[in-house]
């Protein structure tokens, strides 16, 4: 299999993180916690950064983009507790689940890929 085919078969993780970042951006409205500014702003900001890092990884892969998303995944897991909105179950579970999925996908890509392409 060629390097470009390998790369294309692994880019689904970046596409998934792009979709998850966009979901994170709109989730305060969909899950009805837009009235809680700390939770909503955290979701908006993190969603934008996850989506931009995923787009950057799709355009020109660099490992740092994946490590940014790993860090943001960890942040999503701990932020409801650190920012004081863990009592909002919609925001809490949305951000914990997305944090795990985003972090795992990004970590998987970071450890199985190289700067020039994907390893076999």
């Amino acid at each position: 299999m060629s390097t470009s085919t390998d790369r294309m078969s692994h880019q689904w993780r970046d596409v998934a993180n792009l979709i998850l970042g966009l979901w994170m951006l709109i989730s305060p409205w969909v899950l009805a916690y837009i009235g809680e500014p700390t939770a909503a702003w955290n979701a908006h900001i993190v969603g934008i950064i996850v989506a931009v890092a995923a787009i950057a990884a799709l355009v020109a892969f660099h490992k740092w983009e994946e490590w940014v998303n790993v860090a943001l995944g960890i942040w999503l897991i701990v932020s409801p507790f650190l920012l004081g909105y863990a009592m909002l179950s919609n925001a809490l579970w949305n951000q914990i689940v997305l944090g795990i999925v985003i972090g795992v996908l990004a970590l998987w890509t970071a450890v199985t890929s190289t700067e020039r392409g994907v390893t076999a």
Side-chain angles (χ1 to χ4, degrees), residues 47-67:
I48 289 169
I49 297 169
V50 166
V52 168
I55 290 169
L58 287 167
V59 172
F61 179 80
H62 297 288
K63 277 192 179 183
W64 68 265
E65 296 141 351
E66 303 304 331
W67 291 112

Side-chain angles (χ1 to χ4, degrees), residues 43-104:
H44 296 319
I45 292 167
V46 172
I48 289 169
I49 297 169
V50 166
V52 168
I55 290 169
L58 287 167
V59 172
F61 179 80
H62 297 288
K63 277 192 179 183
W64 68 265
E65 296 141 351
E66 303 304 331
W67 291 112
V68 166
N69 276 346
V70 170
L72 290 171
I74 294 167
W75 171 251
L76 283 172
I77 294 166
V78 301
S79 64
F81 306 101
L82 295 178
L83 298 177
Y85 60 88
M87 68 292 208
L88 300 170
S89 64
N90 288 351
L92 173 72
W93 289 109
N94 182 55
Q95 293 186 17
I96 287 175
V97 170
L98 263 62
I100 292 168
V101 175
I102 288 168
V104 166

Side-chain angles (χ1 to χ4, degrees), residues 23 34 88 91 100 108:
W23 165 255
I34 192 68
L88 300 170
I100 292 168
W108 183 5

